Structure formats: structure tokens, C-alpha cells
Amino acid sequence: MRRIATKLLVLFLLIMVLGVLSGCGKTIPAGHRGVYFNWRAGTDTGTALTEGWNWLAPWNRIYLYDVRVKDQQEDLSILTRDQLNIKCDLSIRFQPVADKVGILHQNIGPEYYTTIVRPTVRNVTREVIAGYDSIDAYTKRSEIQDTIFKGVVAKLDQKPIAISAIMLRNMDFPRSVTDAIERKLAMKQEAEKMKFVLEKERLEAERKRVEARGIADFQIIVTKGINENLLRWKGIEATLKLAESQNSKVVVIGGAGDGLPLILGK
């Protein structure tokens, strides 16, 4: 009986030890880091616990942080410089800096997006869009998106949070603005078309001037090369060719006013 009691005691102690040991560790899942908190020394900001099982005394704690890239949507209503209200849809991609989750936990905490990221994104977006008139905001979306991203990154530069992208997914403008923008774009296209037509006409006029200048130069050259002797010689050549033809004719020598033969046909 005494031996049975001893075995039961040993079994009880073994179960107690296993129970204590099972509570002396914590498994960190994939894509996470752990922040170790010691009841006496406080938060360990220098070491981020990696994936897997980590030893943990029952009186200490491990806080988990998801360090994978996350995407958060934000909807804002913002006034432009000309006091028109537009609605913006933003997509923010962010994550904690994996090896600095201890600092993040100590200074900001697990709700870091709500505490620091969201207010920063909203404030920077309002500041940027407030610097544009509504028509410019409509036509310069890429520029606005880049400016917002750079502004947010600069604001969070000293924080253990990485912003990988901010995308301006949509901007809704009042109907009056879209109509004005369409009219402006149509006028711009018409101006570009007219500019093309004027350039074409200018080039055509230049071509005609060059052509006329060439004809005038040719006439000057030809005129300078013609004299009385040349004309008389050409007349003699023409008379000889005519006299050699088979057609019937009468040739009167010296009958023309310039001394050339006069040829009369029968």
C-alpha cells in the first residue's frame, strides 16, 4: 500500500512538473517576432525573438508582432485650394521593422497603426491636396500620390515602421469640376490641333518661297545667257532643219528683218 502511495505521489509530481514546463515557453508563429518582457528588467528592446519555440519563465511574458506586409484602406474627404470637397481612397502598405519590434512595443505599442500611421497618412494627404486647385488635382494624380508617399516616409523616418507604398486608388470630384475639366481638356486638344495646322501652313509657305526663289534664280541665269548672236545662231539652225525637210517651201534669202532667210510654203 505504501509503495502504491509513493508511485501516485511521483506521478502527481511528474504531472505538476510537466504542467509548469508547458507554461515556461511560447511558440512564435511564421511571419512574427516576439518581444520579451522581464518582470524585473522590463522590455528587451535589443532582441527580437524569432519564429519557433522560445523559453519563457512563468513570471515573464512574450508579446507577438506580425512583421509581414499589411495593406490598410483609408477613405478621406478633403478640401482643395479652391475650397471644393473631394473624396479620396488610399491604400497604405506597411510593416514593423522586424529587428526593432522591442522599441516599437515600448514606445508605441501593438496599436501602432491607429496610434501613429493613420494620423500621419491623413494629415500629410490633407496638406498635399490642399495645395492644389481641383482641376490640377484631377490631372496630377501621380504627382500627388508620390508627394504623399514621400511626406509620410519623412514623418515616420525615426519610427520602427516601414511604409512600402501609398496608392491613391480613387478621387471623386463634384460634377461641376469634372465638366470644367472636360471642357479644359477639349480646349487644350483644339489648341494643339490648331498649332499643328498653323505649323503645317508655315512649312507649306516656306516650301513655296523656296520654290519661287529657285524659279527666279533660274530665270536670271537663263536671261543672262541669252544675247543677239545666240538668238541669230539658233534661228540659222532652225532654218537649216526646216530647209532639209521633205515639205515643199520657198526660201527667200535675207527676207527677214534680222537677216535670216524667209521661208514660204507652197
Side-chain angles (χ1 to χ4, degrees):
M1 192 72 181
R2 187 174 180 181
R3 182 177 297 179
I4 294 175
T6 302
K7 288 182 178 181
L8 289 175
L9 179 61
V10 170
L11 180 61
F12 175 76
L13 292 175
L14 181 61
I15 293 173
M16 290 293 295
V17 169
L18 291 174
V20 172
L21 290 177
S22 64
C24 294
K26 189 176 185 67
T27 299
I28 298 176
H32 290 68
R33 291 292 185 273
V35 178
Y36 186 79
F37 179 83
N38 184 283
W39 71 276
R40 184 172 56 84
T43 303
D44 183 357
T45 59
T47 304
L49 302 178
T50 57
E51 300 171 6
W53 191 86
N54 290 267
W55 166 260
L56 177 68
W59 47 85
N60 296 326
R61 295 189 64 182
I62 293 178
Y63 295 91
L64 296 180
Y65 278 81
D66 188 345
V67 295
R68 293 170 294 189
V69 176
K70 289 172 281 296
D71 188 276
Q72 183 71 34
Q73 312 297 321
E74 292 291 340
D75 299 328
L76 296 88
S77 182
I78 303 173
L79 285 176
T80 58
R81 184 164 57 190
D82 51 352
Q83 298 302 300
L84 284 177
N85 190 47
I86 63 174
K87 294 181 180 180
C88 301
D89 296 335
L90 291 173
S91 178
I92 305 100
R93 291 181 181 173
F94 65 98
Q95 64 190 125
V97 178
D99 59 351
K100 295 183 179 179
V101 290
I103 298 174
L104 179 65
H105 181 75
Q106 185 180 64
N107 296 335
I108 303 174
E111 301 299 324
Y112 62 91
Y113 179 82
T114 304
T115 304
I116 191 74
V117 178
R118 175 180 287 162
T120 301
V121 170
R122 287 177 170 267
N123 289 338
V124 171
T125 302
R126 287 193 174 91
E127 290 174 2
V128 171
I129 293 180
Y132 287 84
D133 290 332
S134 53
I135 293 180
D136 290 335
Y138 185 90
T139 57
K140 297 180 179 180
R141 182 175 301 186
S142 296
E143 178 182 307
I144 291 174
Q145 177 177 285
D146 292 342
T147 305
I148 292 172
F149 173 72
K150 292 176 182 177
V152 172
V153 170
K155 292 282 188 181
L156 299 179
D157 182 53
Q158 301 301 319
K159 302 292 188 295
I161 304 167
I163 306 295
S164 55
I166 294 180
M167 291 165 285
L168 192 56
R169 295 165 47 236
N170 189 37
M171 295 177 72
D172 290 333
F173 292 82
R175 183 63 185 176
S176 59
V177 175
T178 56
D179 290 343
I181 291 168
E182 289 174 0
R183 288 195 299 270
K184 182 177 179 179
L185 292 176
M187 292 173 62
K188 183 177 180 181
Q189 291 175 354
E190 188 64 26
E192 291 294 331
K193 180 180 178 181
M194 183 58 64
K195 184 178 179 181
F196 172 78
V197 172
L198 292 175
E199 181 65 15
K200 181 181 178 181
E201 293 297 330
R202 185 188 69 80
L203 293 175
E204 180 64 17
E206 183 65 24
R207 185 192 68 78
K208 290 180 178 180
R209 280 194 294 270
V210 171
E211 182 180 9
R213 191 179 300 115
I215 294 172
D217 291 343
F218 172 76
Q219 290 175 342
I220 292 172
I221 293 171
V222 171
T223 301
K224 287 182 178 179
I226 297 175
N227 54 44
E228 185 177 348
N229 292 332
L230 177 61
L231 293 174
R232 185 176 290 109
W233 173 251
K234 292 294 183 181
I236 293 171
E237 286 184 338
T239 302
L240 289 175
K241 289 182 180 179
L242 184 58
E244 292 172 354
S245 70
Q246 300 300 320
N247 297 327
S248 226
K249 64 199 67 79
V250 176
V251 180
V252 180
I253 304 299
D258 55 1
L260 293 175
L262 179 61
I263 302 174
L264 302 174
K266 285 186 179 179

